[in-house]
Amino acid sequence: MMPNRLEPELDIYQYPEHLRACLAPLPKGPGVYVFHGQSESLPLYIGKSVNIRSRVMAHFRAQDEAKMLRQTRRISFIETAGELGALLLEAQLIKQQQPLFNKRLRRSKQLCALRLQADAVTIAHAKEIDFAVTPHLYGLFANRHAALEKLRAIADEHRLCYGKLGIDKLPAGRACFRYSLRKCAGACCGVESAQEHALRLSAALEQLRITCWPFAGRVALEEQGETLRQYHVIHNWFYLGSVGNLAQAERLQSAASHFDSDGYKILCKPLIAGDYPIIELP
Ligand SMILES: [Zn+2]
């Protein structure tokens, strides 16, 4: 067979000589870098690192990124004070610009959580209630199916009743099927009390609890790097941007129209742990 000469051999790796000159200006500190192709408005790839230069050099050696490297025309970067700033900025830019080669999932429109109210579990959707301020939510889940799957797994592990949890219909006046298999401890037929069942349920959910935004309004997280100090401005787990001094934080006002699951995942631990000085903003 004749080789098809029209088909370019896109995946053959070659060191990207055409980008060698791009390396020199890259800093060895933390921040975000952007691979640009021909389009000025649509970047190819956005990444973050505590060492921008060495991370970009690693891309140059990555054989499976040959296609992206071939399309790259230039590389830009934004320095941050540290790793936290880099994480926040990367997530924000990827959401805003949706680069071609970032395989990261886009914001899930079906984001949901398990909600516990008066010992009953329901599924709550982020598009309907504000996860940042609603108590007794557990998650997060990409969709309803994933939430139900987790609830089943918790029920199996802790011998909770599918009927009581509303996963299955309970046969009237009888124990559920899983009780006969000893997979339910018997909340459905009085072997254990509703209270015992509720206690084990809430204890099992606890590790998934979504932390409500613990401040009245916006806060600034101070991150001090070797050469740079930044204040990351956050409201309801939503990252509004970073500034060099608190006076500039004034212009970053709340614009969150939805629960920011990226912001929540990045910020919850360091914020609760007190890893960074926090300044409450007026
Ligand atoms: Zn049962």
Side-chain angles (χ1 to χ4, degrees):
M1 250 176 82
M2 289 280 286
N4 182 356
R5 288 176 191 283
L6 294 174
E7 197 77 61
E9 292 168 18
L10 280 176
D11 288 329
I12 292 175
Y13 170 80
Q14 259 185 344
Y15 186 84
E17 286 298 338
H18 68 292
L19 298 175
R20 196 180 279 278
C22 293
L23 283 178
L26 297 183
K28 292 177 179 164
V32 168
Y33 56 88
V34 183
F35 284 69
H36 301 270
Q38 273 177 339
S39 161
E40 272 305 305
S41 53
L42 182 76
L44 297 172
Y45 183 83
I46 295 174
K48 59 107 203 356
S49 178
V50 289
N51 183 330
I52 293 175
R53 186 187 297 196
S54 72
R55 183 66 192 95
V56 169
M57 285 166 78
H59 279 290
F60 285 11
R61 295 188 299 269
Q63 314 247 337
D64 57 346
E65 294 175 13
K67 195 173 167 185
M68 177 185 80
L69 293 170
R70 219 185 325 268
Q71 291 181 33
T72 302
R73 296 288 166 268
R74 65 184 181 91
I75 299 165
S76 65
F77 63 89
I78 304 169
E79 289 181 273
T80 59
E83 193 174 10
L84 184 65
L87 278 165
L88 290 167
L89 184 61
E90 181 201 31
Q92 184 190 53
L93 293 178
I94 288 175
K95 254 179 294 191
Q96 287 171 353
Q97 305 186 14
Q98 311 209 337
L100 219 52
F101 286 89
N102 283 84
K103 291 194 184 93
R104 185 178 295 247
L105 288 176
R106 312 240 161 108
R107 178 163 74 85
S108 168
K109 293 196 168 70
Q110 302 171 53
L111 186 75
C112 58
L114 297 168
R115 186 177 195 183
L116 191 56
Q117 282 173 300
D119 299 340
V121 183
T122 53
I123 290 171
H125 291 268
K127 61 183 177 205
E128 286 159 12
I129 60 168
D130 188 351
F131 283 11
V133 295
T134 309
H136 308 302
L137 292 176
Y138 307 87
L140 299 153
F141 305 102
N143 51 50
R144 183 185 172 81
H145 177 78
L148 273 173
E149 200 150 279
K150 183 67 182 180
L151 184 59
R152 271 197 201 94
I154 287 172
D156 291 345
E157 189 185 340
H158 299 276
R159 299 179 73 220
L160 299 167
C161 182
Y162 280 14
K164 282 271 172 200
L165 294 175
I167 299 172
D168 284 347
K169 266 224 161 82
L170 259 184
R174 279 189 294 133
C176 70
F177 177 60
R178 284 169 68 258
Y179 177 70
S180 62
L181 302 174
R182 296 167 154 245
K183 288 181 171 172
C184 159
C188 45
C189 54
V191 173
E192 75 166 343
S193 70
Q195 197 185 6
E196 283 173 289
H197 186 268
L199 276 175
R200 281 186 301 118
L201 171 63
S202 67
L205 285 174
E206 194 52 44
Q207 55 175 331
L208 297 173
R209 181 185 287 277
I210 298 170
T211 307
C212 283
W213 180 244
F215 303 99
R218 298 180 308 151
V219 301
L221 258 73
E222 181 183 335
E223 187 174 29
Q224 176 67 58
E226 265 176 54
T227 55
L228 206 59
R229 174 188 291 159
Q230 280 186 305
Y231 297 92
H232 310 306
V233 182
I234 324 283
H235 186 219
N236 283 359
W237 301 118
F238 187 89
Y239 171 59
L240 294 162
S242 302
V243 289
N245 63 63
L246 287 172
Q248 296 171 325
E250 187 58 33
R251 64 180 169 84
L252 295 173
Q253 293 296 334
S254 185
S257 60
H258 60 85
F259 181 70
D260 182 6
S261 59
D262 283 330
Y264 178 78
K265 285 171 193 163
I266 294 168
L267 289 161
C268 191
K269 254 192 202 148
L271 197 137
I272 299 299
D275 291 348
Y276 299 88
I278 294 168
I279 302 104
E280 294 201 49
L281 299 173

